[in-house]
Amino acid sequence: ALTAPGEELRPRAAAAPVRSARETRLSELFEAVVGRPVGRDERFFDAGASSLDLMRFHLRCTAEPDLRFTIPDLFEHVTIGRLARFLDGRATATEAEATEAADPGA
């Protein structure tokens, strides 16, 4: 396929990253609470959430075993993507600790 001169220098739009199951669930809960969808890298307040909405979002999330975090965690990890990565990292660390406790010689 031929391209116009200089076209190869234009930045190509990157494919949108696929959301993990955790990101998808966080997004669903956010939309249920706030009434608006939120982008993966959109800050909660930019998506229309108030502090009270974030408190409600936190409460909804803590009802699910794999979405437990604190209010300070929520204000530190201010997007769905960052919050999901934080939760994923914590889950990985917990699994490693459980494996080490089960097999101390490993």
Side-chain angles (χ1 to χ4, degrees):
L2 296 175
T3 60
E7 189 169 312
E8 67 278 358
L9 300 177
R10 291 187 186 134
R12 297 188 186 264
V18 177
R19 285 187 174 199
S20 68
R22 183 169 281 152
E23 286 176 335
T24 299
R25 187 65 185 138
L26 287 167
S27 295
E28 291 168 351
L29 292 172
F30 181 90
E31 187 171 355
V33 170
V34 178
R36 296 181 193 180
V38 62
R40 174 188 214 173
D41 296 316
E42 184 177 13
R43 293 175 183 265
F44 298 126
F45 289 117
D46 293 341
S50 67
S51 295
L52 185 56
D53 289 330
L54 290 180
M55 300 298 171
R56 290 183 187 126
F57 173 63
H58 172 258
L59 186 60
R60 292 285 297 272
C61 289
T62 58
E64 300 196 19
D66 63 334
L67 298 180
R68 294 181 189 257
F69 53 89
T70 66
I71 295 292
D73 293 336
L74 182 60
F75 283 93
E76 182 176 344
H77 308 285
V78 297
T79 68
I80 293 293
R82 287 176 59 184
L83 185 59
R85 284 190 299 275
F86 166 72
L87 292 171
D88 288 343
R90 199 171 65 189
T92 302
T94 301
E95 291 169 7
E97 289 170 4
T99 301
E100 188 174 298
D103 187 10

